[in-house]
Amino acid sequence: MRYIRPNSLTWWAGLLAMLTGIASVTLPATGPVGEFSHLVALIAGTGDASPAGLIFLGLGLIGLRDRIERGFRGDV
């Protein structure tokens, strides 16, 4: 479980980006969770980034953090 590092700020940024993208895809625009969906749209930038782009950004940040950490230790 080397990818789960809750003490890393990069890990949290990647997780937030992933969760924002997933929420943008799954939440309906109307109904009882419409206000929450509106908040997620505001966080996502309402058109600046696609949900898939946010998900891939989050995964990339988490993987990049792990790779940089292994590079400093000398692991391959």
Side-chain angles (χ1 to χ4, degrees):
M1 304 285 292
R2 70 179 193 211
Y3 287 104
I4 299 176
R5 302 282 186 207
N7 293 333
S8 170
L9 184 60
T10 307
W11 185 82
W12 282 107
L15 184 68
L16 180 64
M18 269 187 357
L19 292 178
T20 303
I22 291 169
S24 295
V25 169
T26 58
L27 289 176
T30 60
V33 292
E35 291 299 318
F36 184 66
S37 177
H38 181 69
L39 176 66
V40 168
L42 287 174
I43 291 172
T46 62
D48 291 345
S50 68
L54 287 170
I55 293 169
F56 285 120
L57 171 70
L59 290 172
L61 284 173
I62 291 171
L64 181 65
R65 188 223 39 92
D66 180 64
R67 180 62 188 132
I68 290 172
E69 182 179 301
R70 285 188 297 145
F72 284 136
R73 284 187 288 157
D75 298 343
V76 177

